[in-house]
Amino acid sequence: MSETLLQVEHLKKYYSLGKRWFGKSEQQVIKAVDDVSFSVLKGETFGLVGESGCGKSTAGRSILRLIEPTAGRVQFNGQDLTSLTPKELRLQRKDMQIVFQDPFSSLNPRHTVQRILEEPLIVHGVGNAKERRNLISRLIEVVGLSHSHLQRYPHQFSGGQRQRIGIARALSLQPKLIVADEPVSALDVSIQSQVINLLQDLQEEFGLTYIFIAHDLSVVKHICDRIAVMYLGRIVEISEKNRLYETPQHPYTKALFSAVPEPDPDIKTERIILQGEVPSPANAPVGCAFHTRCPMVMDICQTLRPELTETEPGHLTACHLFTGSDATGRAV
Ligand code: SF4
């Protein structure tokens, strides 16, 4: 049984928006991440999936404290990140890195690759100039680029190459955890698999743990060990990936996964088309947030929020169909 590297407990990220309505000012609260809990094991790839705007990227950034969470605890490697001072957090940051979706905007266009890769090393006081040069030479090779690339600028690279530079930068401090936030969605399909294979190779070589955030379920199926599905800022289901793809429980997961193309033409799958739009997180429905679109909705769903509950070993679902409540909300 692997050790837990990261434990996220009741994480929330709310944004307050002031607006004027018929001359009166009102405060609106957007619950981008609303009471999210999960754990990530050492060496695994944990997927966070859902449609755009479901809160998966905000959750990833709140975990790293790139944005300050509103509430909740994040235990990383035995330390509570949410209680660290900025200085203590900087030291921990060495072990937790992020790869961004857009490799172009995340690399400083005025800096050479050499400087981009050296910057985190200088900030964290790693080695002298010669040691840093050696480390950078190794890093650039590890991600499949060459020394001649080090004196070039980001605009001189293709999208796939830029993402390799972003990965090299994330690797430079030898982190334990990398949050990969949609790392291939800005790339051509032909390049995506190269970057995914690179991430897998690096995981094996350096014993990395990934939180892999994505909306492309085919990519997620390929790379992840376990997956959490998010809807309107909350996790609705968590399971080992094959079980989630073969026997999803939550009606939202079923609908989401029914849209994934089946490679075997002999297997007939039925696409579930959901009615209605995703509600605004500023005005999330009470009860189950999915009840306005759920084909299985019951009375209880409109008033009582279902808790994420273990329905089979390692499989958790937030749905009254599985949580053992009767139509009045009593436990049965
Ligand atoms: Fe549907 Fe109710 Fe389950 Fe929500 S709790 S997913 S509305 S059946």
PDB file of all heavy atoms in Angstrom, residues 15-49:
ATOM      1  N   TYR A  15     -15.063  33.440  -4.113  1.00  0.00           N
ATOM      2  CA  TYR A  15     -14.774  34.816  -4.549  1.00  0.00           C
ATOM      3  C   TYR A  15     -16.009  35.666  -4.268  1.00  0.00           C
ATOM      4  O   TYR A  15     -17.133  35.227  -4.561  1.00  0.00           O
ATOM      5  CB  TYR A  15     -14.489  34.864  -6.057  1.00  0.00           C
ATOM      6  CG  TYR A  15     -13.229  34.132  -6.460  1.00  0.00           C
ATOM      7  CD1 TYR A  15     -13.290  32.830  -6.942  1.00  0.00           C
ATOM      8  CD2 TYR A  15     -11.988  34.751  -6.368  1.00  0.00           C
ATOM      9  CE1 TYR A  15     -12.140  32.145  -7.321  1.00  0.00           C
ATOM     10  CE2 TYR A  15     -10.831  34.081  -6.746  1.00  0.00           C
ATOM     11  CZ  TYR A  15     -10.925  32.783  -7.222  1.00  0.00           C
ATOM     12  OH  TYR A  15      -9.784  32.117  -7.596  1.00  0.00           O
ATOM     13  N   SER A  16     -15.776  36.847  -3.720  1.00  0.00           N
ATOM     14  CA  SER A  16     -16.900  37.766  -3.490  1.00  0.00           C
ATOM     15  C   SER A  16     -16.936  38.774  -4.612  1.00  0.00           C
ATOM     16  O   SER A  16     -15.912  39.361  -4.954  1.00  0.00           O
ATOM     17  CB  SER A  16     -16.709  38.523  -2.182  1.00  0.00           C
ATOM     18  OG  SER A  16     -16.929  37.670  -1.125  1.00  0.00           O
ATOM     19  N   LEU A  17     -18.124  38.967  -5.154  1.00  0.00           N
ATOM     20  CA  LEU A  17     -18.282  39.959  -6.210  1.00  0.00           C
ATOM     21  C   LEU A  17     -19.332  40.957  -5.759  1.00  0.00           C
ATOM     22  O   LEU A  17     -20.435  40.559  -5.374  1.00  0.00           O
ATOM     23  CB  LEU A  17     -18.803  39.299  -7.495  1.00  0.00           C
ATOM     24  CG  LEU A  17     -17.866  38.424  -8.310  1.00  0.00           C
ATOM     25  CD1 LEU A  17     -18.572  38.015  -9.577  1.00  0.00           C
ATOM     26  CD2 LEU A  17     -16.593  39.188  -8.659  1.00  0.00           C
ATOM     27  N   GLY A  18     -18.977  42.232  -5.816  1.00  0.00           N
ATOM     28  CA  GLY A  18     -19.983  43.240  -5.494  1.00  0.00           C
ATOM     29  C   GLY A  18     -20.724  43.602  -6.768  1.00  0.00           C
ATOM     30  O   GLY A  18     -20.125  43.687  -7.825  1.00  0.00           O
ATOM     31  N   LYS A  19     -22.059  43.745  -6.688  1.00  0.00           N
ATOM     32  CA  LYS A  19     -22.775  44.225  -7.873  1.00  0.00           C
ATOM     33  C   LYS A  19     -23.897  45.164  -7.442  1.00  0.00           C
ATOM     34  O   LYS A  19     -24.362  45.107  -6.306  1.00  0.00           O
ATOM     35  CB  LYS A  19     -23.314  43.058  -8.689  1.00  0.00           C
ATOM     36  CG  LYS A  19     -24.409  42.286  -8.037  1.00  0.00           C
ATOM     37  CD  LYS A  19     -25.111  41.419  -9.060  1.00  0.00           C
ATOM     38  CE  LYS A  19     -26.366  40.835  -8.438  1.00  0.00           C
ATOM     39  NZ  LYS A  19     -27.213  40.136  -9.336  1.00  0.00           N
ATOM     40  N   ARG A  20     -24.305  46.024  -8.365  1.00  0.00           N
ATOM     41  CA  ARG A  20     -25.395  46.950  -8.043  1.00  0.00           C
ATOM     42  C   ARG A  20     -26.644  46.466  -8.726  1.00  0.00           C
ATOM     43  O   ARG A  20     -26.622  46.054  -9.872  1.00  0.00           O
ATOM     44  CB  ARG A  20     -25.015  48.366  -8.473  1.00  0.00           C
ATOM     45  CG  ARG A  20     -23.941  48.956  -7.584  1.00  0.00           C
ATOM     46  CD  ARG A  20     -23.750  50.437  -7.820  1.00  0.00           C
ATOM     47  NE  ARG A  20     -24.831  51.262  -7.298  1.00  0.00           N
ATOM     48  CZ  ARG A  20     -25.008  51.509  -6.000  1.00  0.00           C
ATOM     49  NH1 ARG A  20     -24.195  50.995  -5.118  1.00  0.00           N
ATOM     50  NH2 ARG A  20     -26.001  52.268  -5.610  1.00  0.00           N
ATOM     51  N   TRP A  21     -27.725  46.474  -7.986  1.00  0.00           N
ATOM     52  CA  TRP A  21     -28.999  45.945  -8.487  1.00  0.00           C
ATOM     53  C   TRP A  21     -30.091  46.934  -8.115  1.00  0.00           C
ATOM     54  O   TRP A  21     -30.360  47.150  -6.945  1.00  0.00           O
ATOM     55  CB  TRP A  21     -29.218  44.575  -7.821  1.00  0.00           C
ATOM     56  CG  TRP A  21     -30.383  43.799  -8.332  1.00  0.00           C
ATOM     57  CD1 TRP A  21     -31.533  43.523  -7.662  1.00  0.00           C
ATOM     58  CD2 TRP A  21     -30.513  43.162  -9.591  1.00  0.00           C
ATOM     59  NE1 TRP A  21     -32.361  42.771  -8.420  1.00  0.00           N
ATOM     60  CE2 TRP A  21     -31.767  42.526  -9.631  1.00  0.00           C
ATOM     61  CE3 TRP A  21     -29.693  43.081 -10.723  1.00  0.00           C
ATOM     62  CZ2 TRP A  21     -32.215  41.824 -10.741  1.00  0.00           C
ATOM     63  CZ3 TRP A  21     -30.143  42.377 -11.816  1.00  0.00           C
ATOM     64  CH2 TRP A  21     -31.373  41.754 -11.807  1.00  0.00           C
ATOM     65  N   PHE A  22     -30.663  47.634  -9.086  1.00  0.00           N
ATOM     66  CA  PHE A  22     -31.664  48.674  -8.843  1.00  0.00           C
ATOM     67  C   PHE A  22     -31.178  49.662  -7.785  1.00  0.00           C
ATOM     68  O   PHE A  22     -31.859  49.948  -6.796  1.00  0.00           O
ATOM     69  CB  PHE A  22     -33.012  48.068  -8.414  1.00  0.00           C
ATOM     70  CG  PHE A  22     -33.702  47.367  -9.552  1.00  0.00           C
ATOM     71  CD1 PHE A  22     -33.845  45.990  -9.555  1.00  0.00           C
ATOM     72  CD2 PHE A  22     -34.188  48.091 -10.634  1.00  0.00           C
ATOM     73  CE1 PHE A  22     -34.462  45.357 -10.598  1.00  0.00           C
ATOM     74  CE2 PHE A  22     -34.810  47.445 -11.690  1.00  0.00           C
ATOM     75  CZ  PHE A  22     -34.939  46.084 -11.679  1.00  0.00           C
ATOM     76  N   GLY A  23     -29.944  50.115  -7.937  1.00  0.00           N
ATOM     77  CA  GLY A  23     -29.410  51.123  -7.031  1.00  0.00           C
ATOM     78  C   GLY A  23     -28.861  50.567  -5.725  1.00  0.00           C
ATOM     79  O   GLY A  23     -28.224  51.282  -4.972  1.00  0.00           O
ATOM     80  N   LYS A  24     -29.133  49.284  -5.416  1.00  0.00           N
ATOM     81  CA  LYS A  24     -28.626  48.726  -4.154  1.00  0.00           C
ATOM     82  C   LYS A  24     -27.390  47.891  -4.450  1.00  0.00           C
ATOM     83  O   LYS A  24     -27.323  47.236  -5.479  1.00  0.00           O
ATOM     84  CB  LYS A  24     -29.660  47.763  -3.559  1.00  0.00           C
ATOM     85  CG  LYS A  24     -30.822  48.410  -2.890  1.00  0.00           C
ATOM     86  CD  LYS A  24     -31.546  47.318  -2.139  1.00  0.00           C
ATOM     87  CE  LYS A  24     -32.937  47.724  -1.769  1.00  0.00           C
ATOM     88  NZ  LYS A  24     -33.766  46.560  -1.535  1.00  0.00           N
ATOM     89  N   SER A  25     -26.429  47.924  -3.518  1.00  0.00           N
ATOM     90  CA  SER A  25     -25.285  47.061  -3.769  1.00  0.00           C
ATOM     91  C   SER A  25     -25.485  45.716  -3.071  1.00  0.00           C
ATOM     92  O   SER A  25     -26.048  45.653  -1.977  1.00  0.00           O
ATOM     93  CB  SER A  25     -23.997  47.732  -3.318  1.00  0.00           C
ATOM     94  OG  SER A  25     -24.087  48.040  -1.969  1.00  0.00           O
ATOM     95  N   GLU A  26     -25.086  44.660  -3.752  1.00  0.00           N
ATOM     96  CA  GLU A  26     -25.251  43.302  -3.225  1.00  0.00           C
ATOM     97  C   GLU A  26     -23.926  42.576  -3.315  1.00  0.00           C
ATOM     98  O   GLU A  26     -23.149  42.831  -4.218  1.00  0.00           O
ATOM     99  CB  GLU A  26     -26.244  42.532  -4.109  1.00  0.00           C
ATOM    100  CG  GLU A  26     -27.666  42.698  -3.692  1.00  0.00           C
ATOM    101  CD  GLU A  26     -28.585  41.878  -4.588  1.00  0.00           C
ATOM    102  OE1 GLU A  26     -28.103  40.926  -5.247  1.00  0.00           O
ATOM    103  OE2 GLU A  26     -29.777  42.197  -4.620  1.00  0.00           O
ATOM    104  N   GLN A  27     -23.707  41.672  -2.421  1.00  0.00           N
ATOM    105  CA  GLN A  27     -22.496  40.855  -2.472  1.00  0.00           C
ATOM    106  C   GLN A  27     -22.896  39.491  -3.048  1.00  0.00           C
ATOM    107  O   GLN A  27     -23.833  38.875  -2.591  1.00  0.00           O
ATOM    108  CB  GLN A  27     -21.976  40.618  -1.055  1.00  0.00           C
ATOM    109  CG  GLN A  27     -20.819  41.415  -0.529  1.00  0.00           C
ATOM    110  CD  GLN A  27     -19.709  41.809  -1.462  1.00  0.00           C
ATOM    111  OE1 GLN A  27     -19.453  41.192  -2.437  1.00  0.00           O
ATOM    112  NE2 GLN A  27     -19.034  42.856  -1.133  1.00  0.00           N
ATOM    113  N   GLN A  28     -22.159  39.057  -4.050  1.00  0.00           N
ATOM    114  CA  GLN A  28     -22.405  37.729  -4.601  1.00  0.00           C
ATOM    115  C   GLN A  28     -21.195  36.863  -4.299  1.00  0.00           C
ATOM    116  O   GLN A  28     -20.069  37.327  -4.417  1.00  0.00           O
ATOM    117  CB  GLN A  28     -22.518  37.836  -6.116  1.00  0.00           C
ATOM    118  CG  GLN A  28     -23.900  37.581  -6.608  1.00  0.00           C
ATOM    119  CD  GLN A  28     -23.908  37.404  -8.106  1.00  0.00           C
ATOM    120  OE1 GLN A  28     -22.937  37.702  -8.795  1.00  0.00           O
ATOM    121  NE2 GLN A  28     -25.001  36.917  -8.611  1.00  0.00           N
ATOM    122  N   VAL A  29     -21.426  35.636  -3.900  1.00  0.00           N
ATOM    123  CA  VAL A  29     -20.303  34.752  -3.599  1.00  0.00           C
ATOM    124  C   VAL A  29     -20.234  33.666  -4.662  1.00  0.00           C
ATOM    125  O   VAL A  29     -21.221  32.968  -4.910  1.00  0.00           O
ATOM    126  CB  VAL A  29     -20.457  34.118  -2.201  1.00  0.00           C
ATOM    127  CG1 VAL A  29     -19.330  33.124  -1.939  1.00  0.00           C
ATOM    128  CG2 VAL A  29     -20.449  35.194  -1.129  1.00  0.00           C
ATOM    129  N   ILE A  30     -19.073  33.560  -5.302  1.00  0.00           N
ATOM    130  CA  ILE A  30     -18.872  32.501  -6.283  1.00  0.00           C
ATOM    131  C   ILE A  30     -18.076  31.394  -5.606  1.00  0.00           C
ATOM    132  O   ILE A  30     -16.952  31.609  -5.168  1.00  0.00           O
ATOM    133  CB  ILE A  30     -18.127  33.031  -7.517  1.00  0.00           C
ATOM    134  CG1 ILE A  30     -19.021  34.058  -8.194  1.00  0.00           C
ATOM    135  CG2 ILE A  30     -17.753  31.901  -8.469  1.00  0.00           C
ATOM    136  CD1 ILE A  30     -18.520  34.589  -9.477  1.00  0.00           C
ATOM    137  N   LYS A  31     -18.699  30.224  -5.526  1.00  0.00           N
ATOM    138  CA  LYS A  31     -18.028  29.099  -4.864  1.00  0.00           C
ATOM    139  C   LYS A  31     -17.298  28.277  -5.931  1.00  0.00           C
ATOM    140  O   LYS A  31     -17.822  27.309  -6.463  1.00  0.00           O
ATOM    141  CB  LYS A  31     -19.054  28.252  -4.115  1.00  0.00           C
ATOM    142  CG  LYS A  31     -19.742  29.038  -3.012  1.00  0.00           C
ATOM    143  CD  LYS A  31     -20.733  28.202  -2.245  1.00  0.00           C
ATOM    144  CE  LYS A  31     -21.295  29.007  -1.084  1.00  0.00           C
ATOM    145  NZ  LYS A  31     -22.292  28.271  -0.310  1.00  0.00           N
ATOM    146  N   ALA A  32     -16.082  28.725  -6.246  1.00  0.00           N
ATOM    147  CA  ALA A  32     -15.326  28.063  -7.320  1.00  0.00           C
ATOM    148  C   ALA A  32     -14.905  26.662  -6.901  1.00  0.00           C
ATOM    149  O   ALA A  32     -14.899  25.734  -7.708  1.00  0.00           O
ATOM    150  CB  ALA A  32     -14.103  28.904  -7.680  1.00  0.00           C
ATOM    151  N   VAL A  33     -14.505  26.526  -5.643  1.00  0.00           N
ATOM    152  CA  VAL A  33     -14.184  25.206  -5.069  1.00  0.00           C
ATOM    153  C   VAL A  33     -14.929  25.135  -3.749  1.00  0.00           C
ATOM    154  O   VAL A  33     -14.801  26.029  -2.911  1.00  0.00           O
ATOM    155  CB  VAL A  33     -12.662  25.053  -4.831  1.00  0.00           C
ATOM    156  CG1 VAL A  33     -12.344  23.717  -4.168  1.00  0.00           C
ATOM    157  CG2 VAL A  33     -11.895  25.185  -6.140  1.00  0.00           C
ATOM    158  N   ASP A  34     -15.742  24.118  -3.592  1.00  0.00           N
ATOM    159  CA  ASP A  34     -16.665  24.108  -2.458  1.00  0.00           C
ATOM    160  C   ASP A  34     -16.579  22.790  -1.695  1.00  0.00           C
ATOM    161  O   ASP A  34     -17.250  21.819  -2.046  1.00  0.00           O
ATOM    162  CB  ASP A  34     -18.090  24.345  -2.997  1.00  0.00           C
ATOM    163  CG  ASP A  34     -19.061  24.627  -1.877  1.00  0.00           C
ATOM    164  OD1 ASP A  34     -18.620  24.897  -0.757  1.00  0.00           O
ATOM    165  OD2 ASP A  34     -20.281  24.558  -2.138  1.00  0.00           O
ATOM    166  N   ASP A  35     -15.718  22.778  -0.702  1.00  0.00           N
ATOM    167  CA  ASP A  35     -15.631  21.628   0.194  1.00  0.00           C
ATOM    168  C   ASP A  35     -15.107  20.364  -0.521  1.00  0.00           C
ATOM    169  O   ASP A  35     -15.791  19.350  -0.604  1.00  0.00           O
ATOM    170  CB  ASP A  35     -17.009  21.346   0.804  1.00  0.00           C
ATOM    171  CG  ASP A  35     -16.878  20.584   2.111  1.00  0.00           C
ATOM    172  OD1 ASP A  35     -15.740  20.277   2.528  1.00  0.00           O
ATOM    173  OD2 ASP A  35     -17.925  20.270   2.703  1.00  0.00           O
ATOM    174  N   VAL A  36     -13.910  20.481  -1.018  1.00  0.00           N
ATOM    175  CA  VAL A  36     -13.297  19.383  -1.780  1.00  0.00           C
ATOM    176  C   VAL A  36     -12.300  18.634  -0.897  1.00  0.00           C
ATOM    177  O   VAL A  36     -11.442  19.251  -0.263  1.00  0.00           O
ATOM    178  CB  VAL A  36     -12.600  19.955  -3.045  1.00  0.00           C
ATOM    179  CG1 VAL A  36     -11.550  19.015  -3.590  1.00  0.00           C
ATOM    180  CG2 VAL A  36     -13.638  20.265  -4.111  1.00  0.00           C
ATOM    181  N   SER A  37     -12.434  17.312  -0.845  1.00  0.00           N
ATOM    182  CA  SER A  37     -11.510  16.473  -0.056  1.00  0.00           C
ATOM    183  C   SER A  37     -11.058  15.279  -0.898  1.00  0.00           C
ATOM    184  O   SER A  37     -11.879  14.643  -1.565  1.00  0.00           O
ATOM    185  CB  SER A  37     -12.208  15.925   1.194  1.00  0.00           C
ATOM    186  OG  SER A  37     -12.643  16.958   2.027  1.00  0.00           O
ATOM    187  N   PHE A  38      -9.769  15.011  -0.877  1.00  0.00           N
ATOM    188  CA  PHE A  38      -9.245  13.797  -1.509  1.00  0.00           C
ATOM    189  C   PHE A  38      -7.800  13.609  -1.073  1.00  0.00           C
ATOM    190  O   PHE A  38      -7.193  14.514  -0.477  1.00  0.00           O
ATOM    191  CB  PHE A  38      -9.341  13.859  -3.052  1.00  0.00           C
ATOM    192  CG  PHE A  38      -8.555  14.960  -3.690  1.00  0.00           C
ATOM    193  CD1 PHE A  38      -7.229  14.769  -4.070  1.00  0.00           C
ATOM    194  CD2 PHE A  38      -9.136  16.193  -3.928  1.00  0.00           C
ATOM    195  CE1 PHE A  38      -6.501  15.778  -4.667  1.00  0.00           C
ATOM    196  CE2 PHE A  38      -8.411  17.228  -4.521  1.00  0.00           C
ATOM    197  CZ  PHE A  38      -7.091  17.013  -4.897  1.00  0.00           C
ATOM    198  N   SER A  39      -7.264  12.436  -1.350  1.00  0.00           N
ATOM    199  CA  SER A  39      -5.852  12.224  -1.029  1.00  0.00           C
ATOM    200  C   SER A  39      -5.138  11.695  -2.274  1.00  0.00           C
ATOM    201  O   SER A  39      -5.762  11.086  -3.152  1.00  0.00           O
ATOM    202  CB  SER A  39      -5.705  11.242   0.130  1.00  0.00           C
ATOM    203  OG  SER A  39      -6.328  10.037  -0.212  1.00  0.00           O
ATOM    204  N   VAL A  40      -3.848  11.957  -2.332  1.00  0.00           N
ATOM    205  CA  VAL A  40      -3.038  11.491  -3.460  1.00  0.00           C
ATOM    206  C   VAL A  40      -1.895  10.649  -2.902  1.00  0.00           C
ATOM    207  O   VAL A  40      -1.212  11.070  -1.965  1.00  0.00           O
ATOM    208  CB  VAL A  40      -2.480  12.690  -4.272  1.00  0.00           C
ATOM    209  CG1 VAL A  40      -1.664  12.196  -5.459  1.00  0.00           C
ATOM    210  CG2 VAL A  40      -3.607  13.592  -4.742  1.00  0.00           C
ATOM    211  N   LEU A  41      -1.704   9.475  -3.474  1.00  0.00           N
ATOM    212  CA  LEU A  41      -0.661   8.576  -2.984  1.00  0.00           C
ATOM    213  C   LEU A  41       0.661   8.878  -3.674  1.00  0.00           C
ATOM    214  O   LEU A  41       0.677   9.360  -4.822  1.00  0.00           O
ATOM    215  CB  LEU A  41      -1.059   7.117  -3.270  1.00  0.00           C
ATOM    216  CG  LEU A  41      -2.401   6.673  -2.702  1.00  0.00           C
ATOM    217  CD1 LEU A  41      -2.698   5.232  -3.119  1.00  0.00           C
ATOM    218  CD2 LEU A  41      -2.411   6.803  -1.188  1.00  0.00           C
ATOM    219  N   LYS A  42       1.733   8.541  -2.983  1.00  0.00           N
ATOM    220  CA  LYS A  42       3.070   8.745  -3.556  1.00  0.00           C
ATOM    221  C   LYS A  42       3.204   7.960  -4.853  1.00  0.00           C
ATOM    222  O   LYS A  42       2.876   6.771  -4.888  1.00  0.00           O
ATOM    223  CB  LYS A  42       4.116   8.226  -2.569  1.00  0.00           C
ATOM    224  CG  LYS A  42       4.922   9.309  -1.979  1.00  0.00           C
ATOM    225  CD  LYS A  42       5.955   8.828  -1.009  1.00  0.00           C
ATOM    226  CE  LYS A  42       6.298   9.993  -0.106  1.00  0.00           C
ATOM    227  NZ  LYS A  42       6.999   9.662   1.066  1.00  0.00           N
ATOM    228  N   GLY A  43       3.676   8.599  -5.899  1.00  0.00           N
ATOM    229  CA  GLY A  43       3.952   7.911  -7.155  1.00  0.00           C
ATOM    230  C   GLY A  43       2.751   7.725  -8.062  1.00  0.00           C
ATOM    231  O   GLY A  43       2.884   7.209  -9.166  1.00  0.00           O
ATOM    232  N   GLU A  44       1.568   8.154  -7.641  1.00  0.00           N
ATOM    233  CA  GLU A  44       0.406   7.948  -8.512  1.00  0.00           C
ATOM    234  C   GLU A  44       0.113   9.195  -9.352  1.00  0.00           C
ATOM    235  O   GLU A  44       0.624  10.283  -9.078  1.00  0.00           O
ATOM    236  CB  GLU A  44      -0.836   7.543  -7.719  1.00  0.00           C
ATOM    237  CG  GLU A  44      -1.613   8.652  -7.086  1.00  0.00           C
ATOM    238  CD  GLU A  44      -2.983   8.201  -6.567  1.00  0.00           C
ATOM    239  OE1 GLU A  44      -3.585   7.241  -7.084  1.00  0.00           O
ATOM    240  OE2 GLU A  44      -3.468   8.849  -5.620  1.00  0.00           O
ATOM    241  N   THR A  45      -0.737   9.004 -10.348  1.00  0.00           N
ATOM    242  CA  THR A  45      -1.258  10.126 -11.123  1.00  0.00           C
ATOM    243  C   THR A  45      -2.739  10.227 -10.818  1.00  0.00           C
ATOM    244  O   THR A  45      -3.503   9.309 -11.107  1.00  0.00           O
ATOM    245  CB  THR A  45      -1.043   9.924 -12.631  1.00  0.00           C
ATOM    246  OG1 THR A  45       0.363   9.779 -12.860  1.00  0.00           O
ATOM    247  CG2 THR A  45      -1.546  11.094 -13.436  1.00  0.00           C
ATOM    248  N   PHE A  46      -3.100  11.328 -10.191  1.00  0.00           N
ATOM    249  CA  PHE A  46      -4.477  11.526  -9.742  1.00  0.00           C
ATOM    250  C   PHE A  46      -5.123  12.542 -10.668  1.00  0.00           C
ATOM    251  O   PHE A  46      -4.637  13.668 -10.804  1.00  0.00           O
ATOM    252  CB  PHE A  46      -4.466  12.028  -8.294  1.00  0.00           C
ATOM    253  CG  PHE A  46      -5.827  12.155  -7.685  1.00  0.00           C
ATOM    254  CD1 PHE A  46      -6.447  11.066  -7.099  1.00  0.00           C
ATOM    255  CD2 PHE A  46      -6.500  13.367  -7.712  1.00  0.00           C
ATOM    256  CE1 PHE A  46      -7.712  11.181  -6.542  1.00  0.00           C
ATOM    257  CE2 PHE A  46      -7.768  13.488  -7.156  1.00  0.00           C
ATOM    258  CZ  PHE A  46      -8.371  12.397  -6.572  1.00  0.00           C
ATOM    259  N   GLY A  47      -6.190  12.171 -11.316  1.00  0.00           N
ATOM    260  CA  GLY A  47      -6.838  13.061 -12.283  1.00  0.00           C
ATOM    261  C   GLY A  47      -7.938  13.883 -11.640  1.00  0.00           C
ATOM    262  O   GLY A  47      -8.684  13.380 -10.804  1.00  0.00           O
ATOM    263  N   LEU A  48      -8.015  15.157 -12.046  1.00  0.00           N
ATOM    264  CA  LEU A  48      -9.156  16.004 -11.662  1.00  0.00           C
ATOM    265  C   LEU A  48      -9.827  16.382 -12.973  1.00  0.00           C
ATOM    266  O   LEU A  48      -9.204  17.056 -13.805  1.00  0.00           O
ATOM    267  CB  LEU A  48      -8.680  17.281 -10.984  1.00  0.00           C
ATOM    268  CG  LEU A  48      -8.513  17.329  -9.471  1.00  0.00           C
ATOM    269  CD1 LEU A  48      -8.099  18.737  -9.052  1.00  0.00           C
ATOM    270  CD2 LEU A  48      -9.749  16.896  -8.723  1.00  0.00           C
ATOM    271  N   VAL A  49     -11.064  15.929 -13.177  1.00  0.00           N
ATOM    272  CA  VAL A  49     -11.705  16.170 -14.472  1.00  0.00           C
ATOM    273  C   VAL A  49     -13.061  16.842 -14.287  1.00  0.00           C
ATOM    274  O   VAL A  49     -13.637  16.822 -13.214  1.00  0.00           O
ATOM    275  CB  VAL A  49     -11.889  14.854 -15.287  1.00  0.00           C
ATOM    276  CG1 VAL A  49     -10.586  14.112 -15.424  1.00  0.00           C
ATOM    277  CG2 VAL A  49     -12.952  13.963 -14.685  1.00  0.00           C
TER     278      VAL A  49
END
